[in-house]
Amino acid sequence: MIQNFTFQRISSSSMQTKELKSKFIIQKNIGYGDYGTVYQGVNMHTRETVAIKELSHRINDQGINAQALREIEILRSLHCDQIVLFKELAYQNRKTYIIMEYMEEDLLTAMRRDIFTEVQAKQIMFQVLKGLAYLHDLGIIHRDLKPNNILHKNLTIKICDLGMAQNLKKFKPQTTRIQNHQYRAPEVFLGQKYCSKVDVWSAGVLFIELLFRSNPFKGQSEANSFQQILKLCGTPTEETWQGVTTLKNYSKLINNENFPKILHSLLERKMSPLLVNLIDQMLTLDPNKRISAQTALQHLYFKGINIDRCLIINETGKKRVKTQSQTDTQVHNYPDGQRIIVISKKY
Ligand SMILES: Nc1ncnc2c1ncn2[C@@H]1O[C@H](COP(=O)(O)OP(=O)(O)OP(=O)(O)O)[C@@H](O)[C@H]1O
């Protein structure tokens, strides 16, 4: 009965759910997650290739679980080039299927195989930040940004898996059981009420991972990852993060050891000053001081970016970056008095 109610709720706003087999053929399995299996399929009427996410709910479950319902409700309301496109819902044998546009693969798979150049990482990050800025503008936090939730097709990026997303406008209580611990923002570890800046933190981690092929906050456990944050970003103090010592988990997670901030100098060895400045702002411990996705898009690092022109695909389908030997010199003065001179190649 409740199962029917759930479908009625979903279909109430002109959503027609059809039985899966009347329209789609499942071709192969393309992904597994904690909440479902994703298949490649084809729409028999249009011949379009689609991704079909099966939302598992056991026989005795009462309708679609809250996470699945949240994913459906949020995903279908979004219209953004950087978010995977929701197409329709289907059902079969008491299971619900989200039909989405099909993408080539996720970034985790791509990162395990390919080494990204800085130009490619820049293209990827610009699109990820655009997707986040769109979500944040609507009051939605993704809360689970990580390489396997970012899809690409020839480096056109789409964020997927809105199962953990929260619409801040709905004023629901916040859980701290969010984000994979290697991408988790410090305020979540410390038990502070959080906002869309948690996604910016995850994006900053992803940026480093794309360039270094390793996650700076990799840890076997949540505690390990948090220790890594402290070791690289420094121990937060009242001077650097006002109110940090009063946070719920402060005394549990932070002892007397005072780590200096060394992330900046590690990044400088490999990255341009502008990029270091951007990542530094994305990985600022205090969420109030951390850059927003919208402001990050306007950072000088992205000045002149043209996604279409930079990437060309060669005949074998491999990504190749077109470069020219022209250089460009820019001087940037930051409000904190820092002055950066950048000599960069024009692309
Ligand atoms: N539209 C798509 N096109 C191609 N592959 C996809 C698509 N959607 C998902 N996938 C693949 O399926 C995987 C799992 O999808 P998704 O993250 O939505 O499932 P989940 O059960 O919510 O996962 P999680 O365990 O992260 O919560 C992705 O990492 C990706 O590899």
Side-chain angles (χ1 to χ4, degrees):
M1 286 306 285
I2 298 172
Q3 178 90 5
N4 290 338
F5 164 74
T6 309
F7 276 116
Q8 272 173 19
R9 260 191 71 181
I10 293 167
S11 36
S12 61
S13 51
S14 77
M15 169 99 358
Q16 296 296 320
T17 55
K18 280 198 173 173
E19 199 177 356
L20 187 77
K21 63 182 178 211
S22 70
K23 201 167 168 189
F24 299 95
I25 301 172
I26 287 186
Q27 292 173 316
K28 63 175 182 185
N29 202 320
I30 52 171
Y32 298 95
D34 290 343
Y35 296 97
T37 307
V38 183
Y39 303 93
Q40 181 185 318
V42 65
N43 181 324
M44 288 184 285
H45 303 156
T46 62
R47 305 213 163 250
E48 181 193 18
T49 300
V50 290
I52 303 174
K53 182 170 178 175
E54 178 185 281
L55 300 168
S56 35
H57 38 101
R58 295 175 301 278
I59 282 302
N60 59 356
D61 273 359
Q62 301 196 327
I64 304 178
N65 65 43
Q67 171 142 1
L69 199 56
R70 191 167 52 210
E71 175 162 19
I72 293 164
E73 283 183 347
I74 292 183
L75 194 58
R76 60 183 287 225
S77 69
L78 305 176
H79 306 280
C80 171
D81 284 348
Q82 286 76 37
I83 312 279
V84 72
L85 183 71
F86 170 89
K87 289 181 176 291
E88 57 189 290
L89 273 187
Y91 65 92
Q92 193 164 292
N93 301 335
R94 290 181 56 99
K95 281 187 176 148
T96 308
Y97 296 84
I98 302 180
I99 318 296
M100 299 171 275
E101 73 179 302
Y102 173 77
M103 298 294 287
E104 207 170 80
E105 63 184 1
D106 62 64
L107 271 190
L108 184 65
T109 313
M111 277 197 306
R112 283 182 177 152
R113 188 194 52 236
D114 297 332
I115 297 175
F116 292 105
T117 63
E118 192 192 317
V119 176
Q120 289 171 321
K122 186 181 199 171
Q123 303 293 312
I124 292 170
M125 286 316 300
F126 188 73
Q127 295 173 77
V128 169
L129 286 167
K130 265 183 109 175
L132 290 182
Y134 170 84
L135 288 176
H136 297 171
D137 191 48
L138 294 173
I140 297 168
I141 325 178
H142 185 285
R143 304 199 298 181
D144 196 18
L145 196 75
K146 55 186 181 184
N148 26 338
N149 286 341
I150 299 171
L151 306 170
H152 87 98
K153 202 192 268 176
N154 296 336
L155 290 194
T156 293
I157 295 298
K158 310 256 174 177
I159 297 171
C160 75
D161 194 1
L162 277 290
M164 190 61 82
Q166 184 188 31
N167 189 335
L168 290 174
K169 291 180 183 158
K170 296 207 166 161
F171 303 107
K172 293 242 174 87
Q174 285 191 320
T175 170
T176 50
R177 303 302 307 159
I178 62 160
Q179 303 183 302
N180 173 296
H181 62 85
Q182 299 183 23
Y183 302 87
R184 188 176 297 158
E187 64 271 28
V188 179
F189 280 107
L190 290 169
Q192 189 186 42
K193 193 174 178 317
Y194 53 80
C195 65
S196 57
K197 300 281 184 71
V198 296
D199 289 338
V200 177
W201 177 276
S202 309
V205 180
L206 175 73
F207 215 157
I208 296 183
E209 204 175 356
L210 280 170
L211 293 164
F212 286 84
R213 287 190 105 189
S214 112
N215 184 314
F217 308 126
K218 200 174 175 152
Q220 296 298 327
S221 64
E222 302 192 352
N224 285 158
S225 286
F226 187 71
Q227 273 298 107
Q228 271 305 110
I229 293 180
L230 296 184
K231 281 183 184 162
L232 293 176
C233 302
T235 307
T237 61
E238 281 297 321
E239 285 74 50
T240 57
W241 180 349
Q242 202 187 356
V244 68
T245 54
T246 63
L247 295 178
K248 198 171 134 216
N249 301 331
Y250 179 85
S251 44
K252 199 164 81 189
L253 291 175
I254 299 181
N255 51 34
N256 293 331
E257 205 163 359
N258 257 326
F259 294 106
K261 180 176 170 180
I262 56 165
L263 183 70
H264 205 275
S265 47
L266 289 180
L267 297 179
E268 270 169 355
R269 291 186 202 155
K270 266 203 164 182
M271 296 174 176
S272 67
L274 265 189
L275 177 52
V276 175
N277 181 281
L278 173 61
I279 294 185
D280 202 33
Q281 294 197 61
M282 292 172 79
L283 295 180
T284 296
L285 292 174
D286 180 353
N288 287 321
K289 294 182 186 158
R290 194 177 307 145
I291 198 167
S292 69
Q294 189 58 55
T295 310
L297 286 170
Q298 277 133 40
H299 191 280
L300 285 165
Y301 177 68
F302 290 122
K303 195 173 171 216
I305 191 168
N306 183 335
I307 295 171
D308 301 329
R309 264 183 50 206
C310 278
L311 296 165
I312 58 167
I313 308 299
N314 68 18
E315 317 81 67
T316 58
K318 294 230 172 77
K319 290 101 197 164
R320 190 151 58 83
V321 180
K322 195 181 186 180
T323 59
Q324 290 171 356
S325 55
Q326 269 177 293
T327 56
D328 190 12
T329 306
Q330 295 170 323
V331 180
H332 308 296
N333 293 306
Y334 280 85
D336 60 2
Q338 218 182 342
R339 186 162 187 246
I340 298 175
I341 300 173
V342 187
I343 301 171
S344 57
K345 275 187 180 162
K346 278 184 181 171
Y347 296 108

